[in-house]
Amino acid sequence: MNRYINYFIFSLLLAPIIRLIVLAVSNQLGANPVEFIIHSLGTWGLIYLLLTLTLRPLSQLIHSSKPILLRRTVGLFTFAYVCLHFLSYAGLDQWFDFQAIGSDIAKHPYVLVGFSGFLLMIPLAVTSTNQWMRRLGHRWKKLHRLVYLIAILGVVHYWWLVKKDISMPLLFSAILAVLLGYRLIPKLSRGWRREQPATDIIHTA
Amino acid sequence: MSRNRIDKIPATEITPKSVHDDRRDFIRKLGVGLIGGIAASSGLFQDASATSSDRQKITSYRKSSYGHEETTTPYEDITSYNNFYEFGTSKSDPAASASRLITMPWTISIEGQVRKPKILGFDDLLRLAPLEERIYRMRCVEGWSMVIPWIGLPLADLIKWAEPTGNAKFVEFVSLDNPAMMPGQNLHVLDWPYTEGLRMDEAMHPLTILAVGLYGEVLPKQNGAPVRLVVPWKYGFKGIKSIVKIRFTEHMPVSSWMKANPREYGFYSNVNPSVDHPRWSQATERRIGDGLFAKRRKTMLFNGYAEQVGQMYSGMDMRKYF
């Protein structure tokens, strides 16, 4: 039974890429197919990244370990979508013109921010195996905290490329803020309680 | 003045001499037919408001040799991939919801520094000059481009009719402001109504047209029906759609995009591969219709119309006046 649930989740995670393939084959990617593919892969990469960050709070909320057990799978899917996002930009759009790509990264902050996020994902994907978890011990957790920075970079990347209508980046930012807040607020309030007299809390907050 | 400039256009872009010379003769001969055409077209414009799939032929217009070296972008792409924020910020929104726009009747208010303010009905607009097909490249500030066979008339003909005073140094254009017909106006992404502007010499330039059709048909609503501006050497957003007001001013108008982000959008917005948008490159462009595996093309200075329009900007710092 469990296996079927896994298959189901797997195919759900694959659905966006299957959709793109179906649309491409049936010539339904619209007037600007390259842009469609790049934007679609980027959007899904970001959605899955936020989904990865939702799994632990969800597990705590519903008192079940099932969501958190999916974290590696969803995380690796995120990496796959972001890889394809970058590859479609580098290949389909820029035709692997590394000089153009290099100057795009260097000159345009939104590209730099997105590219940095992508690079930072590589060590996390590499060290996602059980073997690496054992080898790195407590440092593994520290390393994988990079995911928070990556998520911020991803949202900023989106925010900076939008021409005027910021509703989508705003939505992603709001979700990310909730997910970060969920982790930060208990930590901060614990810290304050330990280190500072109650009267100071108001000032520092 | 416009004759002198026309002569400097390269051979491929020039209206054939025979057509050019015969212009007066052409107007005289077709005068009667043209009026008939307008009558027919006004009927046809009325019908066009029925449904968006109702495609209506424009009965009388003449061909020109502009842009015949280019492959035109497919009709489906030109009419499904639009930036027309009045109908929503997604490129598919205008095609989906522009059918709400009622374009008949339509008037344009002529105001400001003119001898006398006037109201121009749509049919009167068509009577100002013979309709002509102009195949122009269109370069969007976002880095994509199309080749569009517009049908329209020179803006210069409207300006001459409007009789601007000596104080008129700029022309300001204003789009329809009607949130009931334009659902995107309920969102404050831009300060409605959409406003654009040109310097007088740019507005009088023979390449600048008011378009009322494309591909031999009445202008689809998602492309700015019933009448829009086309300035082929400037980024596409200068081509204001569904125009209801033309105002002649002494001072430089502030366009919607300048107001929204003065650091990123200037008054001139001439296509220029060496002046990047602050956030992205303008060196290359993706030609719509080239397909999934096509390479980006190099963007040309003034979108390839440098010979015709470059002299208007000689001595001007294009980085400062972007």
Side-chain angles (χ1 to χ4, degrees):
Chain A
M1 187 59 207
N2 234 333
R3 202 172 9 139
Y4 292 110
I5 291 173
N6 281 345
Y7 285 152
F8 176 69
I9 288 164
F10 226 79
S11 47
L12 268 188
L13 292 169
L14 275 172
I17 188 76
I18 291 168
R19 167 175 169 261
L20 277 183
I21 293 167
V22 169
L23 288 177
V25 169
S26 58
N27 203 13
Q28 288 181 71
L29 290 172
N32 196 344
V34 176
E35 179 194 65
F36 189 102
I37 289 173
I38 296 172
H39 285 180
S40 173
L41 290 167
T43 308
W44 282 104
L46 211 45
I47 291 171
Y48 286 173
L49 182 53
L50 295 179
L51 180 62
T52 312
L53 294 180
T54 311
L55 296 170
R56 182 160 65 91
L58 185 65
S59 267
Q60 290 166 339
L61 228 65
I62 63 172
H63 303 290
S64 155
S65 65
K66 278 190 178 108
I68 206 167
L69 289 174
L70 282 169
R71 204 162 49 165
R72 172 159 54 194
T73 309
V74 181
L76 284 171
F77 264 98
T78 305
F79 181 62
Y81 278 91
V82 172
C83 276
L84 289 172
H85 172 63
F86 175 73
L87 273 177
S88 55
Y89 154 75
L92 288 174
D93 194 50
Q94 302 289 327
W95 277 41
F96 298 109
D97 178 346
F98 290 109
Q99 205 185 326
I101 295 168
S103 80
D104 205 11
I105 293 170
K107 275 167 75 180
H108 304 115
Y110 91 88
V111 190
L112 176 67
V113 161
F115 186 67
S116 311
F118 166 61
L119 288 186
L120 289 174
M121 289 182 93
I122 296 171
L124 303 199
V126 170
T127 60
S128 65
T129 60
N130 290 340
Q131 209 183 354
W132 269 105
M133 279 179 95
R134 269 196 304 276
R135 196 182 301 172
L136 290 174
H138 71 283
R139 284 172 303 168
W140 188 90
K141 210 170 173 179
K142 252 187 186 162
L143 175 67
H144 279 252
R145 286 208 182 110
L146 271 178
V147 73
Y148 301 121
L149 176 62
I150 292 164
I152 292 168
L153 292 173
V155 170
V156 170
H157 170 63
Y158 194 5
W159 200 288
W160 281 352
L161 74 87
V162 165
K163 206 162 89 181
K164 195 74 188 78
D165 183 5
I166 51 155
S167 51
M168 281 298 279
L170 194 64
L171 176 67
F172 281 104
S173 306
I175 295 169
L176 180 61
V178 170
L179 293 170
L180 291 180
Y182 176 85
R183 289 156 168 94
L184 272 177
I185 289 165
K187 213 167 239 184
L188 287 178
S189 59
R190 229 180 300 140
W192 288 328
R193 245 174 281 148
R194 223 179 295 140
E195 289 159 18
Q196 287 168 322
T199 45
D200 273 345
I201 291 176
I202 299 153
H203 298 290
T204 40
Chain B
M1 150 216 172
S2 50
R3 291 267 153 108
N4 285 338
R5 284 218 182 92
I6 276 257
D7 289 342
K8 293 189 179 79
I9 297 171
T12 50
E13 304 264 6
I14 286 180
T15 307
K17 197 171 185 308
S18 54
V19 174
H20 194 252
D21 293 346
D22 287 351
R23 190 172 178 171
R24 297 212 159 266
D25 185 43
F26 176 86
I27 292 168
R28 198 168 46 240
K29 268 194 228 153
L30 279 186
V32 179
L34 195 69
I35 302 302
I38 291 162
S41 65
S42 47
L44 129 196
F45 275 87
Q46 256 154 9
D47 289 342
S49 61
T51 64
S52 57
S53 60
D54 241 356
R55 292 167 57 170
Q56 302 284 338
K57 285 252 175 288
I58 292 179
T59 45
S60 73
Y61 67 90
R62 55 181 187 168
K63 298 266 179 187
S64 73
S65 59
Y66 286 98
H68 277 284
E69 73 282 5
E70 298 275 8
T71 309
T72 52
T73 305
Y75 179 90
E76 291 66 34
D77 291 342
I78 296 175
T79 55
S80 67
Y81 191 74
N82 308 97
N83 277 324
F84 196 173
Y85 281 14
E86 280 85 339
F87 294 104
T89 54
S90 159
K91 291 203 178 47
S92 53
D93 287 341
S97 61
S99 60
R100 297 188 193 198
L101 177 68
I102 297 165
T103 56
M104 206 62 205
W106 195 271
T107 55
I108 302 173
S109 171
I110 312 290
E111 304 174 7
Q113 302 289 342
V114 283
R115 197 185 291 176
K116 175 165 137 274
K118 304 184 217 187
I119 302 281
L120 181 65
F122 186 74
D123 287 356
D124 302 324
L125 170 74
L126 299 182
R127 262 180 223 113
L128 292 179
L131 292 181
E132 184 177 305
E133 183 176 71
R134 301 277 182 101
I135 301 173
Y136 283 161
R137 289 175 290 273
M138 207 227 15
R139 169 64 155 79
C140 177
V141 73
E142 295 166 352
W144 52 267
S145 62
M146 293 183 178
V147 178
I148 307 178
W150 301 108
I151 291 173
L153 53 111
L155 175 62
D157 286 309
L158 180 142
I159 293 176
K160 281 172 211 151
W161 173 83
E163 299 179 292
T165 66
N167 289 335
K169 304 282 188 287
F170 295 90
V171 189
E172 182 185 67
F173 305 85
V174 182
S175 286
L176 180 67
D177 187 5
N178 187 328
M181 290 200 276
M182 296 177 147
Q185 288 181 334
N186 293 311
L187 290 173
H188 279 273
V189 280
L190 291 173
D191 193 9
W192 310 114
Y194 197 89
T195 304
E196 259 305 340
L198 293 175
R199 212 169 60 188
M200 201 55 159
D201 57 340
E202 299 175 323
M204 289 294 292
H205 194 279
L207 283 178
T208 306
I209 61 164
L210 288 172
V212 296
L214 64 83
Y215 265 115
E217 297 176 5
V218 168
L219 194 64
K221 291 177 178 176
Q222 59 268 38
N223 294 87
V227 54
R228 64 167 293 164
L229 183 68
V230 178
V231 196
W233 70 94
K234 292 177 181 284
Y235 291 117
F237 66 84
K238 293 292 287 184
I240 184 170
K241 304 180 178 85
S242 306
I243 299 168
V244 295
K245 193 189 290 183
I246 296 178
R247 222 162 62 84
F248 293 85
T249 64
E250 200 172 346
H251 302 288
M252 183 181 281
V254 179
S255 73
S256 293
W257 279 103
M258 287 163 76
K259 216 180 276 179
N261 199 335
R263 209 179 64 85
E264 298 189 351
Y265 303 98
F267 177 79
Y268 289 97
S269 299
N270 292 319
V271 176
N272 190 338
S274 51
V275 177
D276 279 353
H277 183 278
R279 287 183 287 149
W280 57 79
S281 166
Q282 295 293 23
T284 61
E285 66 201 49
R286 180 159 293 285
R287 179 62 59 81
I288 301 301
D290 277 358
L292 185 52
F293 301 107
K295 203 171 177 174
R296 295 178 73 93
R297 297 167 183 236
K298 282 201 162 31
T299 291
M300 295 180 284
L301 180 62
F302 296 114
N303 203 20
Y305 301 98
E307 282 192 57
Q308 293 97 311
V309 304
Q311 64 208 12
M312 288 194 291
Y313 310 101
S314 59
M316 219 170 96
D317 181 357
M318 307 280 283
R319 280 178 193 282
K320 194 175 167 206
Y321 300 102
F322 55 93

